[in-house]
Amino acid sequence: MSYTNDPYDPKQVAYLSPEALDEAVANAREAFDAAENLDELTAVKHRHLGDKAPILLARREIGALPPAAKADAGKRVNMAKSAATAAYDARAQVLQKQDQERVLREEAVDVTLPTVPRRRGARHPINLMADRITDIFVGMGYAVTEGPEVESEWFSFDALNIHADHPARTMMDTFYVAAPNKEHSGLVLRPHTSPVQIHTMIEQEPPIYAVAPGRVYRTDEVDATHSPVFHQTEGLVVDKGITMAHLKGTLDHFARAMFGPSVKTRLRPSYFPFTEPSAEMDVWFEAHKDGPRWIEWGGCGMVNPRVLTACGIDPDVYSGFAFGMGIDRALMLRHGIADMRDMFDGDVRFPLALGTEE
Ligand code: PHE
């Protein structure tokens, strides 16, 4: 074997000198210690511990050394590398800890801080009941219609076959808003939802299957069972071949969907100018708070041919039925509410107590 035993060229192995290595380690330590966060530390790591860093370049120079010098030089390089790596690790640890502390500090949530209590809201039980009733009819293919609460006398009475001198006008104690003038037949707060029947028949061609929930007004004193503002749902069907059997079947389905499958209904002959024949519908309440009994729930009947005619519908071709039910009444019955005033005085605990909130 022949190899040169010449002293190595110090220029060629400049990085390997103990001084150079010491300096490289010192530089690395200084740079690492100067890094103020982990990003900066990572940025300087490459310069001092990467492939082109003085310590790593020194390792490459070992090959150029005579065998006798290799072991020594190797040891020095390794020590330098470990020292620089240790300096890096030490700094990394410090910075990591600082970072964790910062995150803990900045993202801390003080669970003991008082908060603004959030009051749960709820839809009013009357609205929920109105929706419930509407849903039952929408399920049978009915459309929802509406009319104004300030209504003309013509829609409220005349078109419904209740003429000015008809005794039924006084049956419904009406709030009068404006006397008749050139523009209208007088304005009232509608005392029932039946004027919506008229709007619907004037605006739509039969077949008509419509349900109209809404607010109505009568000059009643407030007490446990009366309120000057209450709610009704009007129902109207106009089609070919509609009979009273359809009315009875529809109301039976409605009552069972509302109050349960065991509920019974009966129709009692009655009188409304806009229906002929007319009936009151009663519902048998087994679980009524004062014992089982019939409860009057609303009026109904076959649409009077005179009303169809007033709305431009030929009574020889079409027939229909209509009904009007109290929404507040349904709510009181369904939930055993004894005093109507509870439904209107706006105490937010009321819907929660009923358990109807959604
Ligand atoms: N409008 C009537 C009332 O308020 C109820 C009713 C509606 C009766 C439809 C017959 C047909 O008392």
Side-chain angles (χ1 to χ4, degrees), residues 328-347:
D328 323 74
R329 218 187 165 83
L331 186 70
M332 290 175 82
L333 289 172
R334 203 163 184 277
H335 294 279
I337 300 163
D339 193 328
M340 247 190 143
R341 287 166 289 202
D342 289 342
M343 301 195 289
F344 297 117
D345 67 7
D347 187 328

Side-chain angles (χ1 to χ4, degrees), residues 240-259:
K240 287 178 181 159
I242 296 295
T243 71
M244 198 115 185
H246 295 123
L247 170 62
K248 171 84 165 119
T250 304
L251 293 178
D252 278 352
H253 172 76
F254 177 30
R256 281 195 296 268
M258 200 69 222
F259 301 110

Side-chain angles (χ1 to χ4, degrees), residues 145-159:
T145 54
E146 274 179 329
E149 289 175 24
V150 179
E151 182 60 280
S152 78
E153 283 189 57
W154 189 82
F155 276 97
S156 304
F157 301 121
D158 302 71

Side-chain angles (χ1 to χ4, degrees), residues 172 191-192 194 197 218 232 234 272 274-275 299-301 322-324:
M172 274 182 244
H192 54 175
S194 296
Q197 285 186 36
R218 289 189 198 175
Q232 286 185 336
E234 195 78 8
F272 298 101
F274 37 96
T275 46
C300 61
F323 57 84

Side-chain angles (χ1 to χ4, degrees), residues 203-326:
E203 283 159 28
Q204 295 175 28
E205 296 282 314
I208 293 168
Y209 290 79
V211 65
R215 214 176 273 141
V216 298
Y217 304 82
R218 289 189 198 175
T219 59
D220 286 329
E221 296 284 337
V222 176
D223 67 24
T225 55
H226 292 89
S227 160
V229 187
F230 57 103
H231 302 77
Q232 286 185 336
T233 292
E234 195 78 8
L236 173 70
V237 167
V238 181
D239 204 343
K240 287 178 181 159
I242 296 295
T243 71
M244 198 115 185
H246 295 123
L247 170 62
K248 171 84 165 119
T250 304
L251 293 178
D252 278 352
H253 172 76
F254 177 30
R256 281 195 296 268
M258 200 69 222
F259 301 110
S262 63
V263 94
K264 280 190 288 187
T265 64
R266 76 174 179 196
L267 293 182
R268 258 183 309 115
S270 184
Y271 172 73
F272 298 101
F274 37 96
T275 46
E276 183 56 38
S278 303
E280 294 282 349
M281 181 171 84
D282 297 338
V283 179
W284 178 255
F285 270 91
E286 199 63 43
H288 192 274
K289 58 177 175 30
D290 304 322
R293 65 190 54 217
W294 288 106
I295 301 285
E296 195 180 307
W297 193 23
C300 61
M302 300 306 290
V303 180
N304 191 320
R306 300 182 67 158
V307 175
L308 292 175
T309 306
C311 297
I313 294 173
D314 186 350
D316 291 331
V317 179
Y318 292 103
S319 57
F321 64 74
F323 57 84
M325 303 291 160

